[in-house]
Amino acid sequence: MTETVLESQSLTKYFGKTVAVDHLNLEIPRGCICGFVGRNGAGKTTAIKLMLGLLKPTIGSSKLLGCDSMALTPVIRQRIGYVTEGHRLFRWMSIGRLEKFQRAFFQKQWDERLFADMLEYFGLSKKQKIKHLSNGQRAQVSLALALAPNPELLIMDDPTLGLDAAIRRQFLAGMIELIMREGRTALFSSHILGDVERVSDRIVVIDKGRLRANCTLEQFRNSVKKVKVAFADRAPTEFEIEGLLNCRRSEKELELVLIGTDSNRINEWAKTVGAEKYQIVQMNLEDQFIEYTAPASKGKLFRWEEI
Amino acid sequence: MFDKIRLIDLMGLWVQISPGSDEPVYVQVAEQISEAIARGELSSGDKLPPVRKLAAELVINPNTVARAYSRLEQAGLVVTKTGSGTYVSDPKLRKADAADFNILTERMDTLITRGLNLGLEQQDLIEMFKTRVEKFTKK
Amino acid sequence: MRFLAILRKELRECLPWIVLATAVLFVFGYVELFERTIPQNIDYRYRLFSPSNDVYPFDLTKRSLLAGMGQLLLVVSIGLGLAMGIRQFWVDHYAGTWGFTVHRSVNREKILSAKLTAAAIGFVVSIGAIWCLLFLYASKAPNFYVPPAKRIFFEGWVYIVSGLVVYSAAALAGLSTVRWYTTKIFGLAFAAIVLFVMVFQWRLSYAFLALLVGIFVLVVQITQTFLNREF
Amino acid sequence: MKKDGTLRHLAVISRIFMTVLILLILVAIGQLIIGEMLFAHYYAAREQQEKLKADARMRIATSQKRILPDGSIHLANRRGYSRAGTDYTKFQVYDVNDNLVWEGIQKDMPYEYLDWAQNLRNSCSDERMRELKTITSEFSRNLDIPVNSEERTEEVWRYDEQKDIFVGYRYRQGGGKIGYISSVGFTELKSEAKPFGKSRLFSSWVPQNSFSPMLLWQTDHRFYQINFEEHNVSLLFESTESEITFIRTHNWPSLSTSKKESSSIDYRPLIHCLTNDGKHWLIMWQPEQRLTVVLPEGLHSRSISATATKDSILLRHEGRELMPPELDYRKSPNQWQKYFREYRSKDRKEWIELYKVDDEGQLELVSRFDWIRPAAPVTDEIQEKATAPHRFVTAFSPPLYNVVWWIFHDKLMELTTYRGYRGSGEFVRGIVEATRWSLPSSWYWNWIVSVATVSIAFRHGWSRRTSLARFIAWLAFVGAFNIAGLLTYLALNHTTVIKCHHCSKARGLDQDQCVRCGTELPVPIQGKLDLMFCA
């Protein structure tokens, strides 16, 4: 079992009465890209801040690179790269000064050539002030800043929020480039599942502060299935199938969302229930995620009844 | 020799990833490479681009590329020599298993249903199929 | 080396305010002092008494020539204290750069001490230097016929240190995350009380003592809140 | 680690101190305002005390006792009023056996009464001087005595507190020091100047022929007259053994200026000084003469005033029946209050004596007159301590005040009542006065209110408590500080509370187990549908 980079034991944080992160037990192995996926307000940012020791957990604890995140020593923090949500940097600094400021904290570790190359690739000059940069450019700068010290663990909090496709692609390329080097891990939270699918090995789904899934992308893709079953006469109201997450009935049809049941199990079940025909719907990651976290059990948002 | 290397370098360009599609990414990569082999752009003995290069090229995770290669290897289309990379295997060794066949039949069914919907006759369909097959097997 | 980097950054952030305070103090201070040394102001400063009548002791105790200067010094140091307190603790919090500031390969005490030393340097260098300069100008023989008492120089420093009390109060208000009406406003109220006590002291040592107690109480709370990651 | 522990304790303590200080002040201000409103409303209705009916004895008691040069005593009563300079006060003068001798207005008063030595007019005590040094928002002030000519100031002499000397500066362009004026007089060098000594009092006036003020400077043991124009210092009086209690001057050449018209009696300039050990010193000029007078038993040294004419030296003593000394106000103010009312409501004997002092300081009684001061019921019935609004308002002040007041009683009382030289500054006395005002007058109500606040705190804290000891400490704190304590507790202990899923009672978040049913915070059940596969 490879060494775990980040683990948390029943990590919980209450903001006033509402729970932001609820007993998170997480383990992320070294050497993978892990996608933090969750709906808005599911507690992704809070979880990341808790793990980085920026916030004090109400209960439980978390470990980063083997050291408790409340007592992260400067040496360990030096090996962690963190991109804040919204790429917040000091607006009054110019890029050159910001680089000089950051370099003071990473003496030997700082890879100047890489930083210069990235800036040149992004087409940014060192004299530009951060406040004059657009969102995308600021994101590029913070990516360059995060990758330059060649961190062992890179944590990005929603890096691709509101960026155009090209910059997003550069972010993903940057992460992959980091992963290439031996023993590096990247953990990034995102809303664009296309990126997550393209880049991440493992996926962590957080829903309402609770950990819903922590597996490799492939396992997640294989296990979430949607089956459309058509019946000759009336669709049965009660039925029993293992791994049923959610089902929608219409007059003659049943739409089931199954987790983890393999196809021949479905085949047998269809025969026992006497379905006329059934069809496993191919779903991409986004649909799977939506089914998994926000099943439309209450029916569609907008219904068009024929008059 | 020159064009072959170029070909292989260009290999990355031929594989198009559409993350939003139904199949997982590694399936897409594997499919497109096997199609390229079927089409003959990759003849046996060619060297596939190394995992890291293809990953960097396509901006996808190296593990996915590695998994795609292993899937191709199971299908026997590709053979990996340790240390020097992966090469297209010669056709005799290729073995297909049942899973490939029913994927094939599935694809055929969708083709046929689409054709019938267009109002084509059975005869025309067979005719069309014959011409396409010849195009492939001519070389 | 890292501490210096943060210190330079903090100083750079508060630089506009420090420069502004120095400029205001110097310009207005000089004008105020110069105005006092104009002949018609200084010659008729003491009341002329007509013979054989009583003199109320109060007439003999004149407002010191540097009185206007004192008010200006107090206002400038309080203003600078507020501005730096807000700039260092509030802007980071509301602009969201807090994560970026704190996630550094240096422990939190150093970050806080960098901020506090930046404030102290800002105060002592900018306002302190100007105050010494102006006091020197005032106590040079030709300007004021009667040089101001030595004691006033130290009272000037009392005002400067009171600016630090207001700075730490603003910092505490920025740091405490509880609702506005509980401990957020109390920091500033406490600073007001300390200033009130300071103003009524007639022994310099008591005034400094009151200020030091105020600063100690506030800084202890700031460090504790800053370190235990309440925000 | 340990440092963190102490830091946390220090932070908690300083936060509590800060909050309770602010809230105490707020509560005090609230009490003051509400108290005043209630007081005005509640007592406006009651009419004033009815006027004291004028009886003969009261007239005698309240009359001014004036003494003629030959020793006979007249009682002068003022009638009418004096308004805006025009003096309509009519005087009725009676002699010793109460028959009217003269009546009329002040100006054409036929008799010439003796004039006694008085305290220095408009003098500035050392406490007032200390006030000069308060750091107001405009720096402290200094004592500058200008030496003026007809139209401008020539020199300015500044008093230097540390060294207790005056430093002179030329007051024109170029400035520069002139020299130092100290107890040894004018000196060029600073080293020769010897300080005056701790200054107690000074008074200033402008003599006839000059335009710059002269100073009478009194320190603990000495009394100087400083003339800045001629740069000379004359030592008028010195008492080596004990400190000076007060100094009175009479007919001092420059002091007695044009105010009074020249009186027929030719007084000799006199300084009458009383020292702490009860000795009276009389220093007279023209001719030069010094006398120390030791009072016989029974004469109250404070109510002695003296005057000296060319031929005789006279002492006047106003005596009255004193309260028994053993009842000292500081020990038990309530009993003293009760006794004082009782003492005031009895008739008391009072008398006035005139003594002639011979050259050796022996006293010889010349004339005496005594009378009875009728009982005057205590008018200040409205003892501001006992009013109902005050009782209600101070019910909210912390019981701790009572405890502190009871423990440090003497020291605090000294601060407020005894205006000693060494009394504290105005600021400290203000605070003590305020706390004295807000002392809970009825401890009964006070305890009720504080118990109420403790119960509120208890109800609030019971579900939030983590460690019992800290909870009890907080309850004690609230009890001690009453309403301010409760507000502090609420301000600092407002941790959020959620319903415990097990026993559905309120449960503090920072508690590990729910206080009542001991269950942990709800752990989300691991849904079987969650995909938990580690690599």
Side-chain angles (χ1 to χ4, degrees), chain A residues 33 169 172-173 176 179-180 194 197-201 218 221 282-284, chain B residues 19-26 52 55-56 58-63 67:
Chain A
I33 294 188
R169 187 58 55 86
L172 301 183
I176 290 168
I179 273 299
M180 299 285 194
E197 182 177 16
R198 176 187 281 277
V199 170
S200 56
D201 298 338
E218 187 196 347
R221 291 286 312 241
Q282 273 292 359
M283 292 203 300
N284 66 18
Chain B
S21 83
D22 297 353
E23 288 121 359
V25 173
Y26 75 95
R52 310 165 75 88
L58 297 178
V59 188
I60 52 173
N61 197 315
N63 303 2
R67 200 174 304 125

Side-chain angles (χ1 to χ4, degrees), chain D residues 68 74 93 101-113 264:
Chain D
L68 286 166
H74 279 192
V93 177
V101 168
W102 174 79
E103 190 169 5
I105 55 172
Q106 168 84 18
K107 274 202 309 304
D108 42 30
M109 173 91 77
Y111 305 98
E112 175 67 32
Y113 293 111
S264 58

Side-chain angles (χ1 to χ4, degrees), chain C:
Chain C
M1 233 293 279
R2 297 185 181 140
F3 179 79
L4 282 183
I6 309 179
L7 186 64
R8 222 175 303 119
K9 171 224 160 201
E10 293 296 336
L11 273 177
R12 177 64 187 71
E13 265 174 9
C14 305
L15 202 59
W17 296 104
I18 295 175
V19 164
L20 178 72
T22 340
V24 162
L25 190 63
F26 184 74
V27 167
F28 285 97
Y30 187 73
V31 162
E32 166 78 24
L33 288 189
F34 188 77
E35 194 194 324
R36 282 285 167 277
T37 56
I38 304 166
Q40 74 268 12
N41 269 5
I42 201 159
D43 285 350
Y44 304 103
R45 176 163 147 73
Y46 292 96
R47 235 163 59 89
L48 302 175
F49 298 98
S50 52
S52 71
N53 67 354
D54 280 340
V55 170
Y56 291 106
F58 198 68
D59 296 343
L60 294 176
T61 57
K62 271 263 160 288
R63 235 163 58 113
S64 100
L65 276 168
L66 294 171
M69 181 65 199
Q71 279 170 336
L72 177 72
L73 186 62
L74 190 60
V75 164
V76 166
S77 54
I78 288 179
L80 183 62
L82 271 178
M84 283 176 87
I86 289 169
R87 178 69 188 86
Q88 280 188 356
F89 290 91
W90 290 39
V91 168
D92 260 352
H93 196 54
Y94 292 119
T97 54
W98 197 253
F100 186 67
T101 324
V102 172
H103 178 74
R104 296 222 156 274
S105 59
V106 74
N107 52 37
R108 278 187 166 214
E109 289 85 1
K110 242 186 215 161
I111 296 177
L112 182 66
S113 51
K115 280 182 187 282
L116 295 179
T117 29
I121 292 173
F123 258 85
V124 165
V125 162
S126 71
I127 301 190
I130 298 295
W131 167 241
C132 298
L133 217 65
L134 289 177
F135 190 80
L136 216 62
Y137 169 78
S139 52
K140 234 170 23 333
N143 309 41
F144 286 42
Y145 301 160
V146 178
K150 282 283 162 296
R151 194 187 140 78
I152 289 186
F153 177 69
F154 297 110
E155 278 163 21
W157 279 99
V158 166
Y159 291 162
I160 292 173
V161 173
S162 68
L164 275 178
V165 173
V166 172
Y167 160 74
S168 31
L172 184 64
L175 276 181
S176 73
T177 56
V178 282
R179 283 165 300 286
W180 183 250
Y181 50 82
T182 48
T183 47
K184 234 185 180 23
I185 194 76
F186 278 6
L188 293 164
F190 182 69
I193 292 172
V194 168
L195 289 192
F196 185 79
V197 164
M198 169 205 90
V199 166
F200 279 104
Q201 293 309 321
W202 54 274
R203 274 207 196 87
L204 269 177
S205 50
Y206 284 2
F208 273 118
L209 188 68
L211 289 177
L212 289 187
V213 163
I215 287 181
F216 175 76
V217 163
L218 289 170
V219 167
V220 159
Q221 287 178 53
I222 290 173
T223 11
Q224 201 258 341
T225 325
F226 190 83
L227 293 187
N228 81 346
R229 295 169 177 74
E230 259 320 305
F231 41 85

Side-chain angles (χ1 to χ4, degrees), chain A residues 11 33 39 59 136 140 159 182 214 224 226 228 257 300:
Chain A
L11 195 64
I33 294 188
R39 299 188 52 200
I59 312 171
Q140 289 166 337
E182 191 273 333
N214 171 13
V224 182
K226 181 191 276 188
K228 271 200 169 41
V257 178
K300 287 269 183 294

Side-chain angles (χ1 to χ4, degrees), chain B residues 25-45:
Chain B
V25 173
Y26 75 95
V27 168
Q28 287 172 27
V29 172
E31 287 294 321
Q32 291 185 14
I33 290 176
S34 58
E35 258 159 38
I37 291 167
R39 252 186 267 111
E41 280 118 20
L42 275 177
S43 56
S44 68

Side-chain angles (χ1 to χ4, degrees), chain A residues 27 33 37-38 83 100 122 187 208 228 255-256 271 280-281:
Chain A
E27 249 162 50
I33 294 188
V37 174
V83 174
K100 203 150 62 61
F122 295 143
L187 182 143
K208 299 188 188 63
K228 271 200 169 41
E255 195 188 83
L256 308 176
K271 287 196 187 55
I280 300 180
V281 175

